[in-house]
Amino acid sequence: MSSEPGPSGGRSPRRTRSGSPPAFDALPEGSPERGALLRREWLYHSHIVHWRKQAESGTLPVSTGRPGRSAESEELARLRAENKKLKADTAKLESRNEKLAGELGKTKTAPDIAGKAFALLQDISSSADSDTNSTRS
């Protein structure tokens, strides 16, 4: 049991701060030994989960005995963050592009309609002029 003498001369438990004990991962999930190990070390399953998340993200403090992040992993993390930002920007730009393409379609249709309306008005005007000329003669 991890303990050291307390101020009253008795033994007080000492909590392990170096991440999950190596034996913890070796034990099958849900086994009584695993629970006993956590109780003996004064740990909760939430501590193990928290440490695992920190280890995965590379933010587990160096004081735990794990090596710090290398320059390569720092660069990889920076590139992943930049990639995520670029993907978000790309999605925004694609959305705006679709909107503008719709507006462009409407803009291209408007002159066509105006041209047809002008041609129709010219036909009506010329037929009205010819009707007026034929009644005068």
Side-chain angles (χ1 to χ4, degrees):
M1 181 156 148
S2 298
S3 60
E4 52 192 33
S8 62
R11 300 188 66 82
S12 63
R14 181 174 50 94
R15 184 172 163 183
T16 303
R17 307 280 286 170
S18 62
S20 62
F24 180 80
D25 291 326
L27 296 171
E29 183 133 357
S31 72
E33 295 86 14
R34 202 172 196 184
L37 178 64
L38 289 174
R39 286 189 297 277
R40 185 173 63 240
E41 298 292 331
W42 286 46
L43 297 172
Y44 294 95
H45 187 262
S46 62
H47 293 128
I48 305 297
V49 170
H50 180 70
W51 287 328
R52 283 183 180 152
K53 285 181 183 174
Q54 284 183 322
E56 288 171 5
S57 68
T59 59
L60 191 64
V62 177
S63 64
T64 62
R66 291 185 57 108
R69 294 175 74 175
S70 67
E72 187 177 292
S73 65
E74 290 287 337
E75 178 70 7
L76 183 60
R78 186 189 66 75
L79 290 172
R80 283 184 177 151
E82 184 179 348
N83 188 23
K84 186 177 179 181
K85 182 181 180 289
L86 289 172
K87 284 182 179 180
D89 290 347
T90 301
K92 286 180 188 175
L93 289 173
E94 285 175 350
S95 172
R96 179 166 175 156
N97 189 21
E98 288 176 19
K99 179 183 172 190
L100 291 174
E103 290 178 11
L104 179 62
K106 291 176 189 174
T107 304
K108 284 183 175 180
T109 307
D112 187 37
I113 293 171
K116 289 179 181 178
F118 180 74
L120 182 63
L121 289 173
Q122 274 186 327
D123 281 348
I124 293 171
S125 176
S126 64
S127 70
D129 285 342
S130 66
D131 285 344
T132 309
N133 287 338
S134 63
T135 52
R136 285 187 187 173
S137 309

